């Protein structure tokens, strides 16, 4: 059974950093991608960043580009989201997901099959 487990959320001040982790297990993910999405209260879930396991190709939302970095540890089957220069508008529940998105759909939540439970990130001003 596939499991996706996020960790690392918390309450931080604006301008500081936080690193989220996402550990996946239960199948071979070599042809998959791992994505981070977030959902703030009253808003729709939105794409944050993604990485393909095989190639390491990454994709970022414009709102986080230059501040967030996604990376992977193939041996640990773990993906990290390093979040720097955090802003209050980054406050949300962050979800990790994995799936096999076709070319051009890596930013679409519909392309991901397995989802974690989410981890809360709160950035105070």
């Amino acid at each position: 059974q596939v499991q996706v487990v996020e960790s690392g959320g918390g309450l931080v001040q604006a301008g500081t950093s936080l690193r989220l982790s996402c550990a996946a297990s239960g199948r071979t993910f070599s042809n998959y991608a791992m994505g981070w999405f977030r959902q703030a209260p009253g808003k729709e879930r939105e794409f944050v960043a993604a990485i393909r396991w095989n190639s390491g190709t990454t994709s970022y939302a414009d709102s986080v580009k230059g501040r967030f970095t996604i990376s992977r540890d193939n041996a640990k089957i773990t993906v990290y989201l390093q979040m720097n220069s955090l802003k209050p508008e980054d406050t949300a529940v962050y979800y990790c997901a994995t799936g096999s998105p076709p070319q051009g759909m890596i930013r679409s939540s519909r392309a991901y099959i397995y989802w974690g439970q989410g981890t809360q990130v709160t950035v105070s001003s």
Side-chain angles (χ1 to χ4, degrees):
Q1 183 174 353
V2 175
Q3 285 191 317
V4 178
V5 181
E6 308 100 333
S7 61
L11 171 63
V12 296
Q13 290 188 331
T16 62
S17 300
L18 202 60
R19 189 178 80 159
L20 304 182
S21 300
C22 175
S25 62
R27 65 156 291 140
T28 300
F29 296 95
S30 57
N31 294 321
Y32 273 36
M34 189 74 81
W36 285 99
F37 294 80
R38 67 186 182 186
Q39 188 166 19
K43 295 188 177 181
E44 293 186 354
R45 189 171 298 186
E46 65 174 0
F47 170 77
V48 175
I51 187 168
R52 292 194 182 271
W53 283 110
N54 274 351
S55 64
T57 303
T58 59
S59 180
Y60 294 93
D62 289 344
S63 59
V64 307
K65 199 172 294 183
R67 300 188 298 124
F68 291 10
T69 303
I70 189 170
S71 61
R72 73 194 193 292
D73 183 327
N74 287 349
K76 296 181 179 179
I77 318 179
T78 299
V79 168
Y80 304 98
L81 185 67
Q82 178 66 43
M83 305 185 294
N84 298 330
S85 302
L86 282 162
K87 305 175 181 179
E89 51 264 43
D90 293 318
T91 295
V93 177
Y94 283 70
Y95 296 93
C96 182
T98 187
S100 185
Q103 193 69 24
M105 289 193 65
I106 199 169
R107 298 183 176 211
S108 173
S109 62
R110 294 173 296 173
Y112 293 81
I113 304 171
Y114 306 104
W115 290 78
Q117 293 300 307
T119 185
Q120 177 70 46
V121 172
T122 303
V123 184
S124 63
S125 57

